[in-house]
Every structure is written in C-alpha cells, then in structure tokens.
C-alpha cells in the first residue's frame, strides 16, 4: 500500500474508526463527515423553511447530483435516474422490458437473490425461461458459455451481477457487454457491490441498464440508489410500470408523454437531504480518485485473504485471483449466530451471508452460511491482524 495514501485523514473523517473495526462495507459503509454534514445541513434548512421551500432553495445543487454521478460513471446526466435503493432501480429496469411467454433471461448463478426472485416471478406470471450460464473454476461466469448461450437462445435480456454479495468474485461484465452489443441484446448489470470499490465505466461496459446503491462502497446514505439507462433504451421508449408525474407529463384527458431522459424511471417524491448526501459521497470518491481507491481495496483484499487463509478452523471460500473487497469464510466448528455475536462483543462489524441469499452458490460449496469480511480503503492491515488474532483464539 502506498505510503502517500491519506489514511490518517480518511480515518479522521470516519469517526467510528475510533471505536469500531468496520469490516461490513459490503453491507453499509461508514459515511464520511462531509456526507453527514450535507444531510444535516439540508434537514436544518428544511426545518427552518419548509419541505418544498428547501427543495426550491437547493434546486441547483440537487440538479448537480446528475452531473456528478454522470462524471463518475463516464456517461451523461440525462442517462441517470435517482432511486431509493438498488432493488428499486433493478425492478424498474426489469419492468420496462415487454416480456412475453418463452422469452429468455440469461443470467448467472451468482446474481443477487432479489434478482433471482424477480426472474422466478416473471417465470410464474409471464412464462419466461431462465437460463444460467456455466462457471469458470473460480466460480465467476464463463464468458464463452455466455456467448454461446446468447447465440443459441437469443435472450430478451442478459443480466449479470458485477460483484456478487455472497462471494469474492469479479465477473467479466465488460467482455459480456461487448458480446451483447454485437448481438443487439439488452444488458442489465447489477453493480450494487462494485460501485465505489472498483472503477465502473458504463460506456466501456456497453450496458443498457446499471443499478446500484450508495450505502455500500460509495459511503452514501441509506435509502438512496440509482439507475443508469442507455440512449438505446430511451430511444426505444422503454418505461417502467406505473410512471408518475416525474416520469411522464399528462398532456390531455387521455394522453401522457414520457420524459425524454432517464427521469422517466424516477418518482417525484424523494428525500432531498439524502440526494445531497449521495452527491457528496460521489464527490468524495472522485476527490480521492477511483483508480487510487480500487488499487487500495485490491491490496487490502489480498492481504485479508492471505492472512485469513492461515486460520486453522476456518476455510476461505473464495477462489478467484481477481480480488475485490469481499472475502468469505466458513467454519463447521461454529454457528454463524455464535460467531457473529462474539465479533460484535469485540467491536468488529461484519456480516453473514446465508443459504437463502445464495442458494446455488452455497449448495455447490456445501455450506449454509459464510462470514463476509468486506474491507474498504479506510481500513488498515492492522485491523485485519486484529481480526485474525481474535478468530485464532476463538473457542
């Protein structure tokens, strides 16, 4: 890790670092003080002036949210929609696609549980077919399997989760995007766990939709997410089920017209304090620099995996060489409830993935839970050493 990385300043701007070892960034990161300040300032303004009035006073800053996020994703402001969370964004994207019986969704074994449930819902309600591509030995989706299945089935949609919530795997969404573009296939990427720890470039990814949240590696507030929507989607006039007055304009008794931009995927009501907090979180990441963040996270992930692999009572479940800020462990010696409570008692923040959230993956691995360790750039190797020492001595 580079000596000039501003770790002291970043930890100073993350107050909980003084009394917690927060290794649950794949769940919800600790927001830095500028994000918290932006949220508090807006609520103070709203308390003094009123809800609609505060929004009017801060209109320019609110609009700037789209510019900042567009810069971050390498796109344009009109391609960005604000949502309340990643699943909200994902569901709106799915609902805009006019699925019919026997249409195919091609996906992976690692796609997020809520996505898998949504696919099953469409299968039950509409009669679509769900096909899972084969995997590489490290568990990530095999691109050649994806390509051959796209050519064979001509799916209505290809859906891939960039970084699974239940495993330390980075899936090759860029090569898959190139294939989808060549075949003119709609492509939906769940970037919930990658945005904020890995550089995400939607132009290079060539996706049609990309959904994510702010609360994880972007370090923004809960209750905020976004959806990237490509120009191809906008030109096809795809729209989510039940647009409201934000997404469309009522122009006659029996007629409405859609917003020309990705705002057709938004709802009018939102928490504007959180919008400004989300904007500040993106600005904070841009100030550090995503290449710097990605390098730091990968370095810390490598250290974490190598260190925790030495535990005698635990098995590191991840097999990929393409590391990210998620490392998963299992031990037959403990129940996850027992293990997590001991960690909480010692001021470690971690999370546990259970089989109901990763059915295909955990069934193949032969486990029903995994301890998920998710360091971020403000964590340190010393904190990983403390975790190792604690787990080594646990009985």
């Amino acid at each position: 890790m580079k000596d000039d990385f501003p770790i002291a300043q970043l930890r100073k701007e993350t107050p909980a670092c003084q009394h917690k070892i927060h290794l649950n960034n794949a769940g919800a990161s600790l927001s830095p003080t500028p994000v918290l300040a932006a949220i508090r300032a807006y609520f103070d303004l709203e308390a003094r002036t009123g809800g609609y009035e505060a929004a009017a006073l801060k209109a320019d800053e609110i609009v700037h949210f789209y510019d900042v996020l567009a810069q971050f994703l390498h796109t344009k402001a009109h391609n960005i929609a604000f949502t309340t969370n990643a699943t909200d964004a994902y569901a709106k994207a799915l609902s805009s696609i006019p699925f019919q019986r026997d249409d195919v969704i091609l996906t992976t074994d690692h796609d997020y549980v809520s996505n898998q449930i949504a696919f099953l819902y469409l299968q039950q309600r509409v009669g679509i077919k769900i096909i899972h591509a084969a995997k590489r030995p490290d568990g990530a989706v095999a691109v050649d399997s994806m390509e051959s299945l796209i050519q064979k089935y001509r799916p209505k949609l290809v859906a891939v989760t960039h970084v699974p919530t239940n495993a330390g795997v980075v899936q090759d969404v860029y090569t898959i995007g190139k294939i989808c573009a060549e075949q003119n296939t709609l492509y939906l990427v769940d970037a919930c766990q990658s945005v904020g720890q890995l550089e995400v470039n939607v132009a290079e990814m060539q996706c049609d939709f990309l959904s994510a949240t702010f609360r994880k590696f972007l370090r923004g507030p809960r209750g905020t997410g976004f959806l990237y929507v490509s120009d191809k989607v906008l030109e096809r006039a795809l729209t989510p089920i039940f647009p409201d007055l934000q997404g469309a304009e009522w122009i006659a008794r029996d007629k409405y017209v859609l917003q020309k931009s990705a705002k057709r995927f938004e709802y009018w009501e939102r928490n504007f304090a959180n919008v400004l907090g989300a904007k500040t979180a993106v600005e904070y990441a841009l100030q550090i620099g995503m290449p710097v963040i990605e390098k730091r996270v990968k370095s810390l992930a490598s250290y974490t995996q190598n260190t925790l692999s030495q535990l005698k009572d635990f098995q590191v479940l991840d097999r990929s060489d393409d590391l990210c800020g998620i490392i998963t462990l299992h031990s037959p010696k403990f129940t996850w409830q027992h293990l997590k409570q001991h960690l909480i008692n010692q001021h470690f923040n971690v999370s546990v993935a259970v089989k109901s959230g990763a059915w295909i993956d955990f069934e193949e691995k032969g486990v029903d839970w995994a301890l998920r360790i998710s360091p971020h750039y403000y964590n340190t190797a010393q904190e990983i050493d403390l975790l190792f020492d604690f787990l080594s001595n646990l009985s």
Side-chain angles (χ1 to χ4, degrees):
M1 299 176 193
K2 290 178 64 175
D3 292 336
D4 60 353
F5 187 78
I7 187 65
Q9 180 64 29
L10 294 170
R11 288 177 69 81
K12 181 180 179 182
E13 294 174 347
T14 309
C17 286
Q18 299 173 24
H19 55 88
K20 290 280 185 183
I21 297 179
H22 189 77
L23 296 169
N24 190 19
N25 296 288
S29 283
L30 300 172
S31 291
T33 49
V35 171
L36 301 175
I39 295 169
R40 289 170 180 149
Y42 186 88
F43 277 133
D44 287 344
L45 177 65
E46 195 172 73
R48 295 194 306 269
T49 65
Y52 282 24
E53 292 74 15
L57 289 169
K58 291 292 185 178
D60 289 344
E61 289 185 43
I62 292 166
V63 169
H64 192 49
F65 162 85
Y66 300 94
D67 300 316
V68 170
L69 187 54
Q71 177 187 351
F72 184 81
L73 295 173
H74 305 275
T75 187
K76 304 293 185 182
H78 75 267
N79 296 110
I80 301 294
F82 175 85
T83 64
T84 56
N85 54 63
T87 301
D88 176 29
Y90 199 91
K92 285 175 176 174
L94 268 185
S95 76
S96 74
I97 301 169
F99 289 106
Q100 298 178 348
R101 177 170 294 277
D102 295 329
D103 282 343
V104 170
I105 290 180
L106 175 59
T107 188
T108 78
D109 288 351
H110 274 307
D111 258 52
Y112 183 54
V113 53
S114 294
N115 307 349
Q116 302 278 10
I117 290 171
F119 303 155
L120 291 170
Y121 170 83
L122 287 169
Q123 184 182 63
Q124 294 172 10
R125 185 178 180 107
V126 181
I128 66 153
K129 296 177 180 179
I130 306 167
I131 296 176
H132 292 81
K135 295 189 290 292
R136 303 183 319 212
D138 67 357
V141 65
V143 172
D144 57 350
S145 173
M146 269 277 177
E147 185 169 20
S148 64
L149 290 170
I150 289 171
Q151 292 173 351
K152 179 178 180 180
Y153 291 101
R154 301 297 175 185
K156 191 71 162 281
L157 175 72
V158 170
V160 181
T161 292
H162 192 184
V163 171
T165 190
N166 52 281
V169 174
V170 180
Q171 309 216 85
D172 190 355
V173 292
Y174 289 92
T175 303
I176 296 169
K178 182 176 182 293
I179 296 166
C180 288
E182 291 171 350
Q183 299 296 323
N184 197 28
T185 302
L186 285 173
Y187 182 36
L188 167 57
V189 175
D190 180 339
C192 196
Q193 292 289 7
S194 59
V195 165
Q197 66 154 317
L198 305 177
E199 188 158 17
V200 172
N201 186 319
V202 294
E204 293 183 1
M205 199 179 294
Q206 301 184 72
C207 54
D208 295 295
F209 299 101
L210 184 138
S211 62
T213 186
F214 287 92
R215 78 173 191 273
K216 298 181 185 289
F217 291 95
L218 262 175
R219 306 185 68 191
R222 300 194 71 174
T224 55
F226 69 84
L227 179 66
Y228 159 79
V229 181
S230 71
D231 287 337
K232 180 172 77 175
V233 168
L234 297 175
E235 290 163 4
R236 290 186 183 183
L238 297 186
T239 185
I241 193 170
F242 304 132
D244 77 348
L245 76 165
Q246 176 76 353
E249 182 182 1
W250 194 18
I251 61 170
R253 182 183 182 92
D254 57 357
K255 187 177 182 181
Y256 69 87
V257 293
L258 292 172
Q259 284 268 15
K260 293 182 179 180
S261 72
K263 287 186 173 65
R264 70 179 63 163
F265 288 85
E266 292 184 344
Y267 286 139
W268 182 82
E269 178 59 26
R270 72 200 72 180
N271 183 326
F272 287 111
N274 277 353
V275 173
L276 295 183
K279 177 181 76 71
T280 305
V282 177
E283 291 170 332
Y284 194 84
L286 286 170
Q287 184 176 8
I288 300 169
M290 280 310 305
V292 174
I293 289 173
E294 180 171 333
K295 184 177 180 179
R296 169 80 179 183
V297 172
K298 284 180 175 288
S299 176
L300 193 55
S302 178
Y303 184 83
T304 302
Q305 187 180 74
N306 292 336
T307 301
L308 299 184
S309 293
Q310 300 173 46
L311 291 166
K312 65 177 182 178
D313 291 323
F314 290 83
Q315 175 192 5
V316 174
L317 299 175
D318 313 305
R319 307 183 301 276
S320 177
D321 293 329
D322 191 1
L323 296 176
C324 67
I326 294 179
I327 297 91
T328 57
L329 305 172
H330 180 76
S331 173
K333 187 175 179 179
F334 307 102
T335 66
W336 70 261
Q337 295 92 339
H338 172 82
L339 180 61
K340 186 174 181 181
Q341 189 57 53
H342 276 289
L343 287 162
I344 290 171
N345 293 343
Q346 296 300 313
H347 307 293
F348 289 98
N349 288 350
V350 298
S351 59
V352 175
V354 296
K355 191 171 183 179
S356 62
W359 189 268
I360 300 172
D361 182 41
F362 282 10
E363 191 169 56
E364 291 180 353
K365 290 175 178 174
V367 301
D368 56 5
W369 62 268
L371 182 68
R372 186 178 68 181
I373 309 301
S374 50
H376 206 359
Y377 60 78
Y378 59 82
N379 290 118
T380 65
Q382 290 74 24
E383 290 179 316
I384 303 304
D385 291 340
L386 289 171
L387 176 65
F388 173 83
D389 291 341
F390 175 76
L391 293 177
S392 295
N393 296 319
L394 192 62
S395 60

